Amino acid sequence: MRIAVDAMGGDKGPHSAVAGAASAMVEDPSLEIQLFGPVRTLEDEISRLPRPLAAAASRLDLRDAPQVISQDMRASQALRHGQASSMARMLECVASGDAQVGVSSGNTGALMALSRRALGTVAGVPRPAISTAIPTRNEGRCYLLDLGANVDVSGDRLIDFALMGDIMARHVDGIAAPRIALLNVGVESTKGAASVLKADAELRRISGLNYQGFIEGDGIFAGEVDVVVCDGFVGNAVLKASEGLARMLVQRVQATFEAHWGSRLVGLLARPALKRLKSELDPVRYNGASLLGLAGIVIKSHGSCDAAGFHYALKRAVQEVRRDLPSRLEAELVNRRPLPPSSEEGGSSHGRAVVR
Amino acid sequence: MRIAVDAMGGDKGPHSAVAGAASAMVEDPSLEIQLFGPVRTLEDEISRLPRPLAAAASRLDLRDAPQVISQDMRASQALRHGQASSMARMLECVASGDAQVGVSSGNTGALMALSRRALGTVAGVPRPAISTAIPTRNEGRCYLLDLGANVDVSGDRLIDFALMGDIMARHVDGIAAPRIALLNVGVESTKGAASVLKADAELRRISGLNYQGFIEGDGIFAGEVDVVVCDGFVGNAVLKASEGLARMLVQRVQATFEAHWGSRLVGLLARPALKRLKSELDPVRYNGASLLGLAGIVIKSHGSCDAAGFHYALKRAVQEVRRDLPSRLEAELVNRRPLPPSSEEGGSSHGRAVVR
């Protein structure tokens, strides 16, 4: 298994990616990881790793890429001027087959744009989507997509997202008949945005899809569905709001106990429970978003994740390679889509469909 | 101060409204509250109140309304067939001036439609919005709007929402220069839905508005702005997702302590802190959403709130009456809007602009 890693995408530099990659190699010595970035920077970072990780890190395959795509660079700029970046070189390596999967914590818009150009899409998908799993009640998880690759989408694209979510949940997570729902402002079939109402009508007609109809925002966490589909604007807002709220609540839990539990005894007793709680509420527990619809596998790690979070994203990458997700999408999407994607939409200002 | 209350809107019957109204009258004996619903049902509910509330409840002015608008009734149906409902009769009472404000926990779509017909709008607002305050870090609060009254809105409507949020935060909450932001998928000015980009450009040109530009979903809870503006679809999804997440996290906090803190001593020590925490995380702490842009004051209480939540919504109602919010909106909106609302949009399928 060969993984190409853009080491330069993290908000706080290459530490999380380098340490996360080394830790993944400690856990699975059969992994081969290519690390992209300015070689001197990567070597410096490796030299600062603690001993057990440093030993594994010596097996990292360092690939020089002098340029870094910043978090605020526009996708169009990255396409035009980003050839020498760690992100673009990582993707070239995936496109050539030198690595089976690419992982980056970098600029999401640039990653999607460069991935589309380097890899193309499967089954004529005009708009790949971004999806991540979020924790639900009863220790479950739910995929949410799209998370920001596409805004102002049509009903046809929501149908693609639903089908891609279904295929991913079946093949990568082994759920026999994933429960799919469309996010809406009400559960009645008459309320909501025009694109959502259209997609609902079409999804009801697709045989073999375990489509549950509409769900409201609170349903995402209720554990009653496996895939929630929405426009990228909505999904991005919901995901980021949830991350912000979870951070705020964890802080309040800590503040509550610090303010009221002065005694050392109680503090000692509370510590393990609080620690466990914090990890349960950790928004990056399921770190590693999938770029769905590409003719190749690319995983987006959270920009602010730590080494453990990056390690988790690498595991997700391995899982998608093992299940060969792009081939499943290619094989199943074409037959199940009610309509071929309109070529007009594929050529819109949001980017061309590059079918490899 | 006279308040008209639709007692029949709650998810669990009239208890929260009746007990909440009685508790508000205990706190402020100068309040006069008219309670709308089937009189027999209201009398039954009052007879079950504990003694201190029952004394206050004897001063409730019961107004018979045989019909109840259910949570799943369509707005169009409520407009056509809801004349004898507790919601419609409550609103008539506000329209006639018999009460200064109306409060309901009922069906939001029906409440908005009936309110528009009964009260009209101010300053030619074609689309009133729904707004509620949500808790932020550092014990602050932030208004979010719109929360579901309008989907698929244009940039002009987002501008109205921003101006109405500004006027409310200044006059009702006394914030001198409320920080206003537009919700978007990135903070750069080139990313996002077309309506959002258009509204951003116009808002920058409005003098005297403390417009901060774009904010992402996690910014809602960061305490850095006072008003966050978005389309009703997005606002509804974000608010409901946040409520669902908060409920899930509170359950996990409880489960964590139940699982790990067997000893009675620790349980006793933990109880006050856990109780305080639960109330801090309570999603209905700021219960009482404002229907903004109406030529009258209507407060929407959460359908699942308890008596304390309903009481909180009544306090919000009193505050909006004291600050005479509709007059402020009427006086300030017209002068500050960059463009008059297009008559075409006001007459769209989402409802007509009923300017009184």
Side-chain angles (χ1 to χ4, degrees), chain A residues 136 152 183-184 194 216 218 221 233 240-242 245 248-249 252 256 260-261 266 269-270 273 276-277 281, chain B residues 136 152 183-184 194 216 218 221 233 240-242 245 249 252 256 260-261 266 269-270 273 276-277 281 285:
Chain A
T136 64
D152 291 329
L183 190 62
N184 200 0
E216 296 187 73
D218 50 347
F221 299 98
F233 193 102
K240 286 188 177 153
S242 300
L245 177 61
M248 179 179 88
L249 295 184
R252 289 207 178 170
T256 296
H260 290 254
W261 294 48
V266 175
L269 288 169
R276 176 161 175 268
L277 184 70
L281 303 189
Chain B
T136 64
D152 291 330
L183 190 63
N184 200 0
E216 297 187 74
D218 50 346
F221 299 98
F233 193 104
K240 286 187 176 154
S242 300
L245 177 60
L249 296 185
R252 290 208 177 168
T256 297
H260 290 256
W261 293 48
V266 174
L269 289 168
R276 176 163 175 267
L277 185 69
L281 303 188
R285 190 154 62 118

Side-chain angles (χ1 to χ4, degrees), chain A residues 289-324:
Chain A
S290 306
L291 272 57
L292 279 176
L294 296 172
I297 307 177
V298 179
I299 300 291
K300 164 74 172 80
S301 163
H302 204 292
S304 67
C305 77
D306 59 9
F310 203 91
H311 184 163
Y312 196 95
L314 291 169
K315 281 188 181 172
R316 175 84 201 171
V318 167
Q319 213 174 350
E320 291 198 7
V321 173
R322 294 228 167 98
R323 308 306 172 106
D324 194 6

